[in-house]
Amino acid sequence: MQALISLTSSRPFHLSPLPSKRPVPLPSLPFHYHHRHNHHSKKTHHHVFSPTKTTRLNTQLSSSPATTTTDLPGDEKFDWFAQWYPLALVIDLDKRAPNAKTAMGHDVVIWWDRQEGRWQVFDDRCPHRLAPLSEGQVDPWGRLQCVYHGWCFDGAGSCKHIPQAPPNGPPVQTFKEACAAVYPCVEQNKIVWFWPSTNPEYKDILMKERPPYIPELDDPSYKSAMGTRDLPYGYEVLMENLMDPAHVPYAHHGIIRLPKREVPGRAKADREGGFPIEITIETLNITGFLAKQGLGYPKFVAPCIFYAMPPSNDGSVSALNIQEVSSTKSQPKQRRHLLIFMCIPVSPGRSRLIWVFLRNFNDRVEQLFPRWMNHVVMNLILDSDLYLLHVEEHKIAKVGPSNWQKACFVPTKSDTLVVAFRNWLRKYSNNQVDWGTLSTGYLPPTATKEQLMDRYWSHVVQCSSCRVALKGLRIFEVFLQVISIAFIAIVAAAKQGLMSNITRIAFASTAVLCFLASRWLSHFIYKNFYFHGYNHAFK
């Protein structure tokens, strides 16, 4: 868990479009990415990291924040609606019922099509009276049924049944207007992805372009831990926060323990032990950028993916080293970590994070903890700087995203990744996400901390393991209370002489302990599944 935020990365891993066979690392190129097709006249073919088109953005020490940026040539614009977006983890989706999600301002419903044996993504509104299809059901025939008037749709969006239509009347269910809007989607890397356009020209987009593929997620030699959380601040702030290693010892003090580093020529200045971080940008173009940080190479693959790989505990490089491809079985297996963050724009002022931790070795300590306990830790990390980021976003909105470089003073190299991301936004997307026709002139109002840091609606209801854990803990809490009451009743009902004093004391003590345990468990449930406050002044 410490490796999650520290982002002390190593060499890059292999990122490629989904192959028909197990991918083999290329022996010569450190990165491989799918060439984009030209969906619009203003888009061209790009490599993510082209050695022939390199731009260096080195953040220098300066008294002027203007020197932290470099104007980048070109006038290409990033098309936010011609990209694949991750929607949800398959493990957290219920095949028995529709699942509601929002991404890129689109309210969608994910449901399991039994007839086709695959997930489908529809616009979350019935064409009849615009009722949300996510409130409906998957009927006994495997169709998505609207709960309002019972209209039923197959996986292609065709209306198969209108209960109100006379059997001998016009076949109104066959009309084009009766069809549900369908988004291109695919299950890949244990995640459901969707293409945010129902335009017919993108119906077969999967044949031309696939989401970024991470082979380690399908490699049985890697153990994976995955989770998701909705956050009350926007995509831009979420992405730059994950790209900022310098905030970890401060914003997450008391949660993430990092090794202390002695800085030559500097006496102890604070208890957290922050230190200079050398980061340089190797390449940057419309598809993202590659950076160098210590021994590693953090990488941003636009629009959603940012990853880094920390060194292993044994000191070896943890990421896939393509220069060491060998078929000799005598060579010891290299311990590798892989950290992946998928940042999804939900709506202005709202974002979703999908995190993935991968390792190719067994960690006996982590194996003792169920998935929901890992989520408790991750949620605590996210909560510890959640309010800071929410307020920060509102301050950026006041000065205007285009004035970020003027409002923020970023003079050290530890901010290099953040500056690069803001440069990428400025160069290719007018400093912000393009929401299309969705209004972007406002952010949701600031709520109370209890509302902003809510865990139940932002995570628990979306997580299969946390839902089950919460239900089980609630039942155990009631069980402890029942045992406490039962033991007290036994002691009170027992006549004098039928129960020894030792037995009475034992029963009474057990009743008190069960009651105290139920109170502690109630507090544990509230703190870890509903709301956990975080006061930095007392950490």
Side-chain angles (χ1 to χ4, degrees):
M1 191 59 68
Q2 295 177 2
L4 167 64
I5 307 293
S6 62
L7 301 182
T8 51
S9 57
S10 62
R11 297 183 182 91
F13 76 105
H14 185 73
L15 185 64
S16 66
L18 180 66
S20 58
K21 299 181 180 179
R22 181 171 298 282
V24 178
L26 297 177
S28 57
L29 295 177
F31 292 97
H32 182 64
Y33 189 72
H34 185 57
H35 294 187
R36 292 202 175 278
H37 294 263
N38 188 9
H39 303 295
H40 300 280
S41 59
K42 63 182 179 181
K43 290 193 68 177
T44 56
H45 296 278
H46 295 284
H47 296 275
V48 173
F49 305 114
S50 172
T52 61
K53 185 179 181 181
T54 300
T55 303
R56 286 193 171 272
L57 299 174
N58 298 325
T59 307
Q60 303 292 337
L61 287 170
S62 170
S63 59
S64 172
T67 61
T68 63
T69 64
T70 302
D71 287 336
L72 304 173
D75 56 358
E76 301 165 294
K77 294 303 177 184
F78 189 79
D79 190 343
W80 290 87
F81 292 94
Q83 315 292 332
W84 285 101
Y85 290 88
L87 269 182
L89 301 176
V90 172
I91 191 175
D92 292 327
L93 295 175
D94 191 340
K95 290 184 177 181
R96 301 169 300 174
N99 304 263
K101 290 290 179 183
T102 301
M104 282 302 296
H106 294 297
D107 294 325
V108 302
V109 55
I110 310 172
W111 65 284
W112 179 253
D113 182 359
R114 292 204 306 267
Q115 296 179 1
E116 296 293 330
R118 62 187 296 265
W119 295 102
Q120 304 286 3
V121 177
F122 284 12
D123 192 16
D124 194 14
R125 59 177 179 175
C126 179
H128 176 214
R129 299 268 292 280
L130 309 186
L133 293 172
S134 57
E135 291 296 316
Q137 65 175 345
V138 179
D139 72 7
W141 293 271
R143 304 170 301 189
L144 180 62
Q145 184 184 59
C146 177
V147 72
Y148 198 19
H149 293 92
W151 289 32
C152 298
F153 307 90
D154 65 10
S158 300
C159 185
K160 292 301 182 182
H161 180 55
I162 298 179
Q164 298 78 24
N168 299 323
V172 292
Q173 71 272 10
T174 63
F175 293 2
K176 180 181 178 181
E177 291 80 4
C179 296
V182 182
Y183 292 96
C185 67
V186 64
E187 178 184 337
Q188 178 177 294
N189 285 145
K190 307 173 186 177
I191 297 170
V192 174
W193 301 71
F194 95 119
W195 186 275
S197 176
T198 58
N199 193 313
E201 70 175 294
Y202 295 116
K203 181 180 179 180
D204 298 320
I205 189 63
L206 193 61
M207 304 299 294
K208 304 174 183 178
E209 183 172 346
R210 301 189 70 96
Y213 180 67
I214 303 165
E216 287 82 359
L217 266 172
D218 293 333
D219 187 340
S221 67
Y222 279 82
K223 304 292 187 297
S224 64
M226 309 172 75
T228 184
R229 174 82 179 265
D230 283 358
L231 298 163
Y233 50 81
Y235 158 88
E236 298 94 333
V237 173
L238 171 61
M239 187 65 80
E240 70 176 35
N241 184 55
L242 293 172
M243 294 180 177
D244 174 21
H247 82 283
V248 176
Y250 301 94
H252 305 304
H253 179 72
I255 302 175
I256 298 178
R257 291 177 175 83
L258 299 175
K260 297 290 184 179
R261 297 191 185 184
E262 295 295 333
V263 180
R266 176 186 294 179
K268 185 173 180 60
D270 54 45
R271 64 174 182 174
E272 293 82 6
F275 53 87
I277 302 174
E278 291 286 331
I279 306 175
T280 56
I281 301 301
E282 298 293 307
T283 56
L284 186 150
N285 59 39
I286 196 171
T287 55
F289 58 78
L290 171 68
K292 187 177 190 306
Q293 178 183 337
L295 296 175
Y297 291 84
K299 183 167 110 174
F300 167 56
V301 180
C304 295
I305 299 177
F306 177 70
Y307 69 87
M309 288 114 336
S312 300
N313 294 331
D314 59 6
S316 64
V317 174
S318 59
L320 179 61
N321 185 352
I322 61 169
Q323 304 298 337
E324 297 177 0
V325 177
S326 175
S327 60
T328 58
K329 296 182 179 180
S330 60
Q331 204 169 18
K333 182 180 179 181
Q334 194 175 43
R335 292 161 62 93
R336 299 188 180 107
H337 282 122
L338 178 61
L339 308 181
I340 306 169
F341 305 98
M342 300 184 183
C343 305
I344 302 101
V346 173
S347 61
R350 296 285 185 267
S351 61
R352 181 177 303 114
L353 172 65
I354 294 177
W355 66 85
V356 182
F357 309 145
L358 286 160
R359 65 180 187 278
N360 65 347
F361 58 90
N362 290 325
D363 189 323
R364 295 182 180 178
V365 176
E366 288 190 13
Q367 287 180 339
L368 298 176
F369 296 97
R371 180 174 180 242
W372 68 269
M373 291 192 71
N374 288 327
H375 290 184
V376 165
V377 176
M378 183 61 191
N379 280 321
L380 182 59
I381 293 173
L382 292 173
D383 280 341
S384 58
D385 59 10
L386 185 151
Y387 186 71
L388 306 176
L389 299 172
H390 176 81
V391 174
E392 174 187 321
E393 180 177 42
H394 279 256
K395 293 182 182 297
I396 292 174
K398 285 183 179 180
V399 300
S402 60
N403 294 319
W404 185 91
Q405 299 285 357
K406 297 178 181 179
C408 298
F409 180 50
V410 282
T412 68
K413 290 187 177 181
S414 64
D415 289 313
T416 297
L417 292 173
V418 177
V419 172
F421 176 67
R422 286 291 176 175
N423 279 339
W424 182 87
L425 277 177
R426 174 176 56 82
K427 175 176 171 59
Y428 298 111
S429 188
N430 195 30
N431 295 295
Q432 57 192 341
V433 175
D434 178 9
W435 296 103
T437 58
L438 187 67
S439 174
T440 60
Y442 66 94
L443 291 174
T446 296
T448 64
K449 283 191 176 182
E450 287 78 6
Q451 293 171 321
L452 290 174
M453 299 168 68
D454 161 75
R455 289 191 184 181
Y456 182 76
W457 294 106
S458 65
H459 172 76
V460 175
V461 295
Q462 305 180 56
C463 175
S464 58
S465 60
C466 289
R467 288 197 306 267
V468 172
L470 177 59
K471 183 178 180 179
L473 291 172
R474 282 296 190 195
I475 292 174
F476 188 52
E477 179 190 359
V478 173
F479 173 77
L480 289 173
Q481 294 172 355
V482 170
I483 293 296
S484 177
I485 295 171
F487 273 52
I488 291 175
I490 291 172
V491 172
K495 295 182 179 180
Q496 192 70 25
L498 294 179
M499 181 180 295
S500 66
N501 289 334
I502 295 178
T503 304
R504 285 177 180 276
I505 293 173
F507 273 53
S509 299
T510 302
V512 171
L513 289 175
C514 286
F515 176 77
L516 294 176
S518 71
R519 293 296 84 207
W520 177 89
L521 185 56
S522 176
H523 176 70
F524 176 87
I525 290 172
Y526 179 75
K527 185 173 67 173
N528 291 289
F529 293 91
Y530 292 93
F531 169 73
H532 188 136
Y534 193 96
N535 191 325
H536 290 265
F538 298 104
K539 294 295 182 181

